[in-house]
């Protein structure tokens, strides 16, 4: 069965709902961050007739869960999206007005990712209005903290949240992803012995020691990292993102810090990749006892319980086939599967929640976090229909 869900929502409904979400700032500099926009979502979901509840994650910050219950006996589809945004920074548009022009809506969160939240809520409303009876449930989770430590989706998984498949509405334009790399950020502190510059030969220069470490990593480890590849994700990656050390020109540097970004693929773990760097540190210390360094996970890598694991969903999973078919019908060609993308909460749902998950949402990743963030109205209206159709096909219809 293929229902024309466009009959059950209007463009004004979608843009009005998104504008109401954008109007409420929900970034890290706002007290209780997402609480205000969570209240808006809770009230609208309740008014639309869904079973709606809040789940406190931390310090008054709550996930909002809404369920469109089926008749029973069918699988449950999870629609997941985060309520927080990055701050408005130096935006060249009004970040909270939701202005419509040039076929787009403009404002912070339009693409990342209040647009998808508005589409998901409207899709559930359209299903309800259509009168069709789904066999399985549609569960909508508007979560906190993805732009920080992903504590909202982590709480859902750790507390036993279940579904038979999931869609995470991060911007994918008219493509989708069922695979992306995991993410870990690491810090290596290299230690020396501080000394006046006139006595440099009596000191141990941490900057020089750090350069030795980088040289050894590049020679021995980096080729091994990029040789690990996944058909849909590409190779594992490593990037030196920041290096700093020393106090002043006339002093031997007593400390030098290297911060690096590590993107990893299935088969690697946080422990295994840290162990590789530790092995090189130990090797250099054995060669020269004056070499001393410590490696640690950076705070933005450390969730309360879980890690920024890769997304991996088998290409033969039902939800992958459904989304691919929906997009192919719209585009007239095979969609881009976009395994190149950055990390999303989908990694936790698939790795720790064991839920087959795809990333599938309106907007372009290139427009996220920008000074003029915006989303195409055409994509917004399409994705309401996409989500409703995916739910009908996955959950089944009586």
């Amino acid at each position: 069965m293929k229902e024309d869900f466009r009959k059950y929502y209007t463009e004004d409904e979608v843009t009005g709902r998104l504008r109401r979400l954008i109007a409420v700032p929900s970034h890290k500099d706002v007290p209780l961050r997402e609480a205000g926009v969570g209240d808006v979502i809770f009230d609208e979901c309740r008014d639309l007739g869904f079973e709606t509840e809040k789940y406190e994650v931390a310090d008054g910050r709550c996930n909002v869960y809404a369920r469109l219950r089926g008749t029973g006996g069918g699988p449950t589809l999870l629609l997941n999206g985060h309520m927080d945004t990055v701050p408005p920074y130096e935006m060249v548009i009004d970040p909270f007005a939701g202005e419509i022009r040039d076929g787009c809506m403009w404002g912070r969160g339009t693409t990342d990712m209040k647009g998808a939240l508005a589409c998901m809520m409207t899709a559930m409303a359209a299903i309800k209005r259509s009168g069709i009876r789904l066999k399985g449930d549609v569960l909508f989770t508007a979560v906190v903290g993805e732009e920080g430590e992903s504590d909202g989706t982590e709480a859902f998984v750790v507390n036993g949240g279940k579904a038979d498949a999931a869609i995470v509405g991060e911007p994918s334009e008219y493509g989708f992803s069922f695979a992306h790399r995991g993410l870990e950020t690491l810090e290596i502190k290299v230690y020396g012995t501080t000394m006046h510059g006139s006595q440099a030969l009596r000191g141990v220069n941490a900057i020089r020691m750090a350069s030795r470490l980088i040289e050894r990593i590049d020679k021995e480890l980096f080729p091994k990292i990029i040789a690990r590849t996944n058909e849909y994700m590409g190779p594992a990656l490593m990037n030196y993102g920041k290096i700093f050390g020393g106090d002043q020109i006339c002093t031997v540097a007593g400390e030098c810090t290297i911060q690096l970004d590590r993107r990893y693929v299935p088969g690697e773990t946080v422990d295994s990749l840290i162990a590789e760097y530790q092995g090189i540190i130990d090797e250099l210390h054995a060669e020269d006892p004056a070499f001393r360094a410590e490696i640690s996970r950076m705070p933005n890598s450390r969730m309360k319980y879980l890690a920024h694991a890769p997304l991996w969903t088998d290409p033969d999973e039902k939800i992958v086939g459904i989304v691919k078919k929906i997009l192919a019908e719209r585009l007239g060609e095979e969609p881009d599967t976009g395994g190149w993308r950055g990390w999303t909460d989908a990694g936790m749902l698939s790795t720790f929640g064991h839920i087959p998950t795809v990333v599938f949402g309106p907007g372009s990743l290139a427009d996220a976090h920008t000074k003029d963030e915006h989303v195409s109205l055409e994509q917004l209206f399409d994705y309401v229909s996409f989500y409703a159709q995916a739910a009908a096909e996955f959950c089944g219809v009586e």
Side-chain angles (χ1 to χ4, degrees):
M1 162 183 184
K2 182 175 180 181
E3 179 74 31
D4 181 11
F5 288 102
R6 291 177 183 270
K7 297 185 295 184
Y8 305 107
Y9 63 93
T10 67
E11 295 181 359
D12 285 346
E13 179 183 8
V14 183
T15 55
R17 181 160 288 127
L18 178 53
R19 186 178 288 112
R20 289 190 291 276
L21 300 184
I22 293 168
V24 184
S26 54
H27 54 81
K28 65 181 180 64
D29 298 328
V30 176
L32 296 181
R33 294 194 220 174
E34 311 90 343
V37 75
D39 288 342
V40 173
I41 291 172
F42 178 87
D43 290 343
E44 293 210 12
C45 286
R46 183 185 55 192
D47 292 346
L48 288 167
F50 310 141
E51 298 176 15
T52 307
E53 64 177 325
K54 289 183 179 180
Y55 178 89
E56 183 170 357
V57 176
D59 303 323
R61 299 169 55 233
C62 298
N63 290 343
V64 179
Y65 301 153
R67 187 181 296 270
L68 178 61
R69 195 169 292 279
T71 60
T76 294
L77 178 64
L78 170 66
L79 302 178
N80 171 278
H82 63 86
M83 298 182 287
D84 59 322
T85 70
V86 296
Y89 298 125
E90 300 174 356
M91 294 189 74
V92 296
I93 58 172
D94 186 331
F96 308 119
E99 178 188 2
I100 293 177
R101 59 179 169 83
D102 302 327
C104 297
M105 181 176 284
W106 302 72
R108 179 59 84 223
T110 47
T111 288
D112 189 14
M113 57 170 290
K114 292 178 178 179
L117 294 175
C119 291
M120 290 171 172
M121 294 163 67
T122 309
M124 292 170 68
I127 293 170
K128 195 170 189 295
R129 292 168 190 154
S130 74
I132 69 171
R133 300 169 68 207
L134 299 183
K135 294 180 180 178
D137 296 355
V138 181
L139 174 61
F140 169 60
T141 58
V143 299
V144 303
E146 192 274 347
E147 300 291 357
E149 298 176 353
S150 289
D151 38 350
T153 296
E154 180 186 50
F156 174 81
V157 172
V158 168
N159 287 283
K162 299 294 183 185
D164 297 289
I167 293 173
V168 173
E170 293 281 7
S172 64
E173 213 151 2
Y174 285 113
F176 76 111
S177 298
F178 51 86
H180 65 56
R181 305 176 187 96
L183 166 65
E184 192 68 25
T185 53
L186 301 171
E187 182 174 86
I188 304 176
K189 288 187 179 294
V190 183
Y191 301 104
T193 303
T194 302
M195 194 71 61
H196 191 280
S198 65
Q199 303 293 315
L201 295 180
R202 297 175 59 189
V204 177
N205 192 302
I207 294 174
R208 179 175 285 117
M209 291 296 186
S211 70
R212 289 176 57 189
L213 177 60
I214 290 172
E215 182 179 12
R216 187 68 61 90
I217 289 172
D218 284 348
K219 180 180 179 180
E220 294 187 0
L221 181 55
F222 186 70
K224 296 177 183 177
I225 290 173
I226 61 174
R228 299 165 191 155
T229 189
N230 176 280
E231 178 182 359
Y232 298 99
M233 300 177 199
L237 296 172
M238 184 198 78
N239 176 61
Y240 303 109
K242 189 175 182 181
I243 184 169
F244 52 94
D247 298 314
Q248 57 182 334
I249 296 173
C250 295
T251 301
V252 174
E255 187 173 302
C256 184
T257 300
I258 304 166
Q259 294 178 343
L260 53 88
D261 174 305
R262 183 71 165 78
R263 308 285 167 146
Y264 60 103
V265 297
E268 299 183 283
T269 66
V270 173
D271 289 342
S272 73
L273 60 91
I274 290 176
E276 290 182 319
Y277 293 102
Q278 186 64 54
I280 291 179
I281 291 170
D282 294 343
E283 185 181 285
L284 287 170
H285 178 70
E287 295 172 7
D288 179 2
F291 179 89
R292 295 180 298 120
E294 294 179 349
I295 184 169
S296 62
R297 300 172 70 192
M298 293 184 66
N300 62 344
S301 274
R302 295 197 298 267
M303 300 179 188
K304 191 172 183 180
Y305 302 105
L306 306 179
H308 293 81
L311 162 64
W312 172 247
T313 297
D314 192 297
D316 292 330
E317 285 285 349
K318 181 179 178 181
I319 189 62
V320 175
I322 288 171
V323 169
K324 182 182 292 187
K325 180 174 74 69
I326 288 170
L327 283 172
E329 289 174 350
R330 172 65 174 81
L331 299 172
E333 61 185 15
E334 286 289 297
D336 179 10
T337 56
W340 49 265
R341 68 166 304 122
W343 192 84
T344 73
D345 279 357
M348 276 193 291
L349 293 172
S350 68
T351 299
F352 302 112
H354 308 293
I355 301 171
T357 304
V358 298
V359 177
F360 179 47
S364 168
L365 194 60
D367 296 321
H369 299 195
T370 59
K371 293 182 179 181
D372 61 349
E373 184 176 350
H374 57 279
V375 66
S376 155
L377 297 181
E378 181 181 24
Q379 288 191 44
L380 285 178
F381 306 146
D382 278 346
Y383 270 83
V384 176
S385 179
F386 291 166
Y387 290 148
Q389 187 64 37
E393 294 194 26
F394 185 81
C395 298
V397 175
E398 288 287 356

